[in-house]
Amino acid sequence: MDIQKLRQLLADVQTGQVGVDQALDRLRALPYDDIGYARLDLHRSLRQGLPEVVFCQNKTVEQAAGILERLWQHHDRVLATRVSAEMAEAIRLRLPEIRYDAVSRLVVLARAELPPLPDGAPYAMVVTGGTSDLPVAEEAAQTVEFLGSRVERAYDVGVAGVHRLLNERERLAAADVVISVAGMEGALTSVVGGLVACPVVGVPTSVGYGASFNGLAALLSMLNSCAPGVAVVNIDNGFGAGLYAHLILRRVCGEK
C-alpha cells in the first residue's frame, strides 16, 4: 500500500464507507506478501516514501514476472531494474502494459503519469565521461524521473576533452545534485566535485581496458577524491545513485 492509497482508506473510514475493523483487516494483511520465492515489502512506501524496486538480474523470467504482477496489484507505479531484452519480452506476455527501455534496462508499470514539473524545479544533472557510460547513466536518470524528480543530462563530457564539461558550467552550477558517471580512471567525478557547490554522487562504471579491473580503478579513484562533497555508490549502480539523488531533491523541495 502506498501513501495515496492509505490516505484514501483513511478518508473512506472518515466518511463511513469503510468500517474501522475492515480497515484494520486491510492494514494487517499488508506488511509483506510471501509468494514462496520472495517476500514483497508492501509497506516500504509508507516507511520510506518509495515502493520496493525489483532487481531482475539472476532471477528467472517466472520469478521476475510473478513479483511484478503481485506488486502491480498493490501499487500504481512499479519499477524493475537490470532487465534484459529477452526477459522484457517474456514479461510483456503476462503484463502487456509494461514500458521497457533497452538502454537503461528498466521496466516501468504506471497506471497514470506523474504531473509535469515546472522548468524552475530543483533538478539532478547526470553527466558521463563517455558514451559507453550511457546504460548506467540512463538507469540513474530514468530512476530519478520515475520517482518524480527533474533531471537534466550532459553526456560525453569526460576529462580527455575537459572543455566539453566546462561548457556546461551554468547548468552544473544551477543543479541541486550532480550524478557523475565514469569508467576508465573515473577522474570526471573529482573534476565535477571541484566545480559545483551541490552534493555530487559518483558512479564508477565497469567501462575500460584491463587495468581498470571492471570498474575497480574508477571506484578507488572516486573514493579517494580530494574534492569535498562527493559520495560514491557501487560499480554500475545507476539505480542507487538515482534514488539517492531523488532523496536529496525531495528534501530540497521541502518533502519528507
Side-chain angles (χ1 to χ4, degrees):
M1 177 176 287
D2 55 30
I3 291 176
Q4 192 171 21
K5 288 186 176 180
L6 179 58
R7 287 182 183 276
Q8 185 59 53
L9 177 60
L10 294 175
D12 290 343
V13 172
Q14 186 177 41
T15 59
Q17 297 180 54
V18 175
V20 172
D21 291 338
Q22 184 181 0
L24 283 172
D25 288 340
R26 290 191 196 178
L27 292 173
R28 288 192 184 106
L30 287 175
Y32 71 89
D33 190 353
D34 188 346
I35 58 175
Y37 50 83
R39 299 187 184 192
L40 310 182
D41 185 358
L42 302 180
H43 270 195
R44 188 172 302 181
S45 61
L46 297 180
R47 297 194 315 273
Q48 299 182 341
L50 308 169
E52 182 172 6
V53 173
V54 185
F55 179 74
C56 291
Q57 185 174 313
N58 294 335
K59 288 183 174 67
T60 66
V61 171
E62 183 67 27
Q63 289 168 342
I67 292 169
L68 285 170
E69 280 184 328
R70 195 62 66 91
L71 288 175
W72 188 227
Q73 293 173 12
H74 295 280
H75 301 294
D76 291 331
R77 295 175 60 79
V78 179
L79 178 67
T81 69
R82 295 293 179 92
V83 183
S84 68
E86 295 77 14
M87 178 179 280
E89 287 309 306
I91 293 172
R92 196 185 302 277
L93 296 176
R94 292 173 59 169
L95 291 165
E97 58 267 65
I98 67 165
R99 297 200 308 265
Y100 177 66
D101 179 73
V103 176
S104 63
R105 295 179 293 173
L106 295 178
V107 158
V108 171
L109 286 159
R111 291 189 173 87
E113 296 301 320
L114 295 174
L117 294 166
D119 291 339
Y123 67 88
M125 187 163 181
V126 182
V127 299
T128 71
T131 306
S132 297
D133 300 311
L134 252 64
V136 178
E138 276 302 301
E139 182 181 77
Q142 292 181 37
T143 295
V144 176
E145 291 172 331
F146 171 84
L147 295 172
S149 292
R150 181 180 164 211
V151 176
E152 294 200 10
R153 296 163 169 84
Y155 292 163
D156 195 23
V157 292
V159 297
V162 73
H163 54 286
R164 300 171 298 180
L165 178 67
L166 296 179
N167 284 341
E168 299 289 349
R169 278 178 293 184
E170 186 174 336
R171 286 201 295 158
L172 284 167
D176 296 275
V177 57
V178 177
I179 299 174
S180 171
V181 184
M184 301 292 189
E185 84 286 20
L188 176 66
T189 298
S190 286
V191 176
V192 170
L195 290 174
V196 301
C198 66
V200 176
V201 186
V203 189
T205 71
S206 52
V207 171
Y209 292 107
S212 71
F213 298 107
N214 293 317
L216 181 60
L219 172 64
L220 293 175
S221 178
M222 292 181 187
L223 287 173
N224 286 286
S225 174
C226 64
V230 173
V232 185
V233 298
N234 209 342
I235 298 167
D236 291 336
N237 189 7
F239 164 74
L243 191 149
Y244 187 69
H246 168 73
L247 293 176
I248 292 172
L249 293 173
R250 194 166 70 178
R251 290 287 176 166
V252 170
C253 293
E255 301 176 19
K256 293 186 177 181

